[in-house]
Amino acid sequence: AHALEQAGATLMVLEMVPAPLARELTDELHDCATIGIGAGKGTAGQVLVMHDMLGLNLGKNPKFVRNFMAGASSIADGAARAVAAIKDGSYPAAEHTYAP
């Protein structure tokens, strides 16, 4: 991560990185924002694959996926629920995060 930052990276996606390491990297990197997917709340932002967060996939979901369509009235409502959960800190929860 440090080598990528030194090479000029300004954004880094941390997928399935244990939450403590993702937070440590986020705190240490100065010119490179971190975006987490399964990496806990300690990153600068969160990303989800739309089909996963809307429960539109076939097969087993990765640990970090939460179906935001459950109880939603529309796709727009499901997406709004995802945004709200990220902003209020209820997502990702411990069950959506990889730990060492």
Side-chain angles (χ1 to χ4, degrees), residues 2-98:
H2 293 286
L4 290 171
E5 182 181 47
Q6 290 172 354
T10 58
L11 178 72
M12 199 172 306
V13 175
L14 304 177
E15 183 171 356
M16 296 174 56
V17 173
L21 177 58
R23 180 177 295 279
E24 182 179 338
L25 289 172
T26 300
D27 291 344
E28 288 182 11
L29 298 173
H30 302 290
D31 298 316
C32 186
T34 58
I35 304 298
I37 182 166
K41 295 181 184 185
T43 57
Q46 300 292 323
V47 65
L48 285 172
V49 174
M50 182 182 71
H51 289 80
D52 289 343
M53 76 172 205
L54 298 177
L56 300 175
N57 58 353
L58 301 174
K60 185 177 178 185
N61 285 324
K63 178 178 181 169
F64 54 81
V65 171
R66 176 173 157 191
N67 180 354
F68 288 97
M69 277 302 291
S73 61
S74 65
I75 290 175
D77 184 29
R81 288 169 182 244
V83 170
I86 291 167
K87 285 184 176 182
D88 72 19
S90 64
Y91 179 85
E95 65 265 20
H96 305 113
T97 302
Y98 290 87

